Amino acid sequence: MKKVAVQLRSRSYAIHIGNGIANRVGRIAKDLVPSREVVVVSSKEILRLHGEKVLGSLSRASFKVSTIALPQGERYKSLATLANIYRRFASHRVNRRTTIIAFGGGVIGDIAGFAAASYLRGLPLIQLPTTLLAQIDSSIGGKTGVNLPVGKNLVGAFHQPRCVIVDPLLLASLPVREFRSGIYEALKYGVIKDRSLFMLVDRKHHSLPGKDKRSLEQIISRCAEIKAQIVAADETETGVRMILNYGHTIGHALEAATEYRRLTHGEAIGHGMLMANQLAVELQLLTQAEAELINAAIVRVSALPRLNGLSNAKVFRCMLSDKKFESQRFRFVLPRRIGDVAVVTDIPPSAVAAVIRRYLNA
Ligand SMILES: NC(=O)c1ccc[n+]([C@@H]2O[C@H](COP(=O)([O-])OP(=O)(O)OC[C@H]3O[C@@H](n4cnc5c(N)ncnc54)[C@H](O)[C@@H]3O)[C@@H](O)[C@H]2O)c1
Ligand SMILES: [Zn+2]
């Protein structure tokens, strides 16, 4: 088992990573929480696939366990679902010493996390992520929230968990498209911080998650270390945490422009990284040869869903209405080389529009 520290003074915690540790959740949790009462927030499907390991482990450690099964899917990351969770908390007599365990992908992590952040002004939380994206990204760093009809993640809070428990073996049941989605984010960590991680992900992802359990654990650990380090340096994203948004400026706009239906988040980021690289080459930040190395690795993950029929004007409009777009300036995270990125402001909108237009017409 590996332990990665997220250093945030009084809110510091550990990310426990290890094949099979879902069977040890109870033992890991028991010293970190104020009472033996827990509510596991999950989905029917995840409880059916992996519930026994987790619930069994909690019972063995003498926890009194209630479960709440949420419907799955981004469209349920809503205020209506949140209200439903609060009602269930009330009927389970959740009190300030009850711990919430978010057991699922990023959707469940975000919504259960926000329920824990807000109910009774804050309850202890444990993140137990079950998708690759959630294991390397969304469960770490304390961002929680729900969507509003007008936009994603518009209501939320920072609420750091007591610990994050990552069992890579849970990924064996993940649909391949969801797994690949997480691989794009793993490549992202390589580009922003670690060339050897980038090479490792590129070399190994085709034999994951089934055949090469050690490499998967290694990749997840390294990604978690990078995320932990960045969060520790900038918990609320006023500075360096922005570099996690490489590929996301255009990627988020693609998700919005396709009504969150055609692309998974990771696929949108795959497209977004390809376009960011083109922009970086044009701004002479990145050489063509280095861009081609990154692009080839992205394309090798799988063929990204085509974007035909999507208008560049619509994508551009979505970029302008993004919550992170401030004072009419575009801010992009652009690679200088694999392992090193720059945050570039004041990019002329015409240059961005031209890159999007050419990409969509190619
Ligand atoms: N809080 C953050 O810092 C942060 C960061 C990135 C993304 N996010 C959020 O994360 C969400 C996306 O998360 P996601 O990609 O994990 O999607 P998701 O939670 O929708 O999970 C994808 C699908 O996989 C299923 N699933 C989950 N685990 C499984 C398993 N082990 N076996 C089989 N099926 C399984 C889910 O039921 C779902 O259908 C978005 O809402 C995004 O906004 C948050
Ligand atoms: Zn992302």
Side-chain angles (χ1 to χ4, degrees):
M1 188 178 84
K2 195 172 162 77
K3 246 167 126 174
V4 174
V6 184
Q7 267 151 352
L8 290 167
R9 296 161 303 278
S10 64
R11 279 163 292 109
S12 297
Y13 55 96
I15 308 164
H16 303 258
I17 305 162
N19 287 325
I21 65 168
N23 287 309
R24 306 218 303 262
V25 170
R27 251 193 289 165
I28 296 169
K30 71 180 180 358
D31 301 327
L32 300 171
V33 298
S35 84
R36 291 290 161 97
E37 275 165 47
V38 293
V39 177
V40 175
V41 181
S42 188
S43 76
K44 247 194 205 143
E45 177 74 357
I46 292 165
L47 288 169
R48 183 181 64 74
L49 289 164
H50 304 292
E52 221 174 277
K53 289 169 246 183
V54 173
L55 303 183
S57 161
L58 288 166
S59 309
R60 284 195 302 280
S62 317
F63 279 95
K64 187 174 150 275
V65 187
S66 321
T67 56
I68 297 177
L70 303 180
Q72 48 196 14
E74 184 72 35
R75 70 179 182 289
Y76 295 105
K77 201 173 120 179
S78 64
L79 291 174
T81 307
L82 188 67
N84 197 15
I85 298 176
Y86 293 149
R87 270 193 293 277
R88 302 287 299 276
F89 281 179
S91 70
H92 288 307
R93 306 203 176 284
V94 163
N95 62 68
R96 287 229 168 95
R97 292 159 55 82
T98 309
T99 298
I100 307 307
I101 301 187
F103 181 33
V107 166
I108 284 174
D110 278 13
I111 189 164
F114 186 55
S118 49
Y119 194 76
L120 301 178
R121 300 197 181 83
L123 303 173
L125 170 70
I126 289 177
Q127 290 280 2
L128 179 48
T130 63
T131 63
L132 180 56
L133 176 120
Q135 293 193 343
I136 64 177
D137 188 359
S138 60
S139 66
I140 306 163
K143 280 192 188 177
T144 68
V146 296
N147 303 327
L148 295 182
V150 289
K152 263 194 71 153
N153 299 328
L154 289 179
V155 176
F158 284 95
H159 188 57
Q160 300 295 345
R162 296 290 169 101
C163 72
V164 181
I165 300 174
V166 175
D167 183 349
L169 297 186
L170 300 180
L171 304 181
S173 57
L174 201 59
V176 63
R177 189 171 173 203
E178 295 296 341
F179 185 77
R180 286 177 181 153
S181 253
I183 291 293
Y184 296 110
E185 295 275 6
L187 286 172
K188 174 197 83 176
Y189 282 112
V191 174
I192 65 176
K193 269 281 183 219
D194 183 342
R195 192 176 186 100
S196 64
L197 170 67
F198 176 87
M199 301 298 177
L200 181 69
V201 176
D202 184 31
R203 221 171 39 245
K204 295 283 187 183
H205 65 77
H206 283 299
S207 56
L208 308 175
K211 296 186 206 100
D212 187 346
K213 299 189 172 67
R214 265 199 60 223
S215 297
L216 181 59
E217 200 186 272
Q218 196 186 353
I219 287 168
I220 290 172
S221 300
R222 185 59 194 127
C223 292
E225 270 169 11
I226 294 171
K227 175 105 191 219
Q229 199 185 29
I230 291 173
V231 167
D234 176 19
E235 186 178 5
T236 55
E237 198 169 325
T238 52
V240 67
R241 191 162 175 172
M242 280 174 213
I243 71 172
L244 295 167
N245 291 324
Y246 165 55
H248 284 58
T249 315
I250 300 178
H252 280 152
L254 291 177
E255 285 184 279
T258 53
E259 280 81 35
Y260 300 94
R261 291 211 185 112
R262 271 167 72 180
L263 303 168
T264 65
H265 174 70
E267 288 163 352
I269 298 326
H271 282 297
M273 290 190 288
L274 292 173
M275 287 189 252
N277 295 348
Q278 183 57 35
L279 193 58
V281 169
E282 288 178 15
L283 296 171
Q284 298 186 327
L285 215 65
L286 179 69
T287 65
Q288 185 67 40
E290 191 83 343
E292 276 164 21
L293 275 178
I294 309 175
N295 296 350
I298 294 169
V299 170
R300 268 195 290 274
V301 176
S302 72
L304 285 164
R306 309 255 326 255
L307 298 174
N308 42 347
L310 189 60
S311 88
N312 52 304
K314 188 170 185 195
V315 175
F316 202 70
R317 259 200 321 276
C318 288
M319 286 185 70
L320 296 179
S321 58
D322 191 286
K323 70 171 187 240
K324 287 187 179 148
F325 182 75
E326 288 159 15
S327 53
Q328 305 304 304
R329 291 155 108 199
F330 278 119
R331 189 162 53 205
F332 268 85
V333 180
L334 298 175
R336 277 195 279 249
R337 62 186 109 67
I338 299 168
D340 181 30
V341 286
V343 178
V344 185
T345 43
D346 286 330
I347 297 178
S350 59
V352 178
V355 165
I356 298 173
R357 188 178 337 107
R358 264 182 280 129
Y359 187 87
L360 292 180
N361 294 336

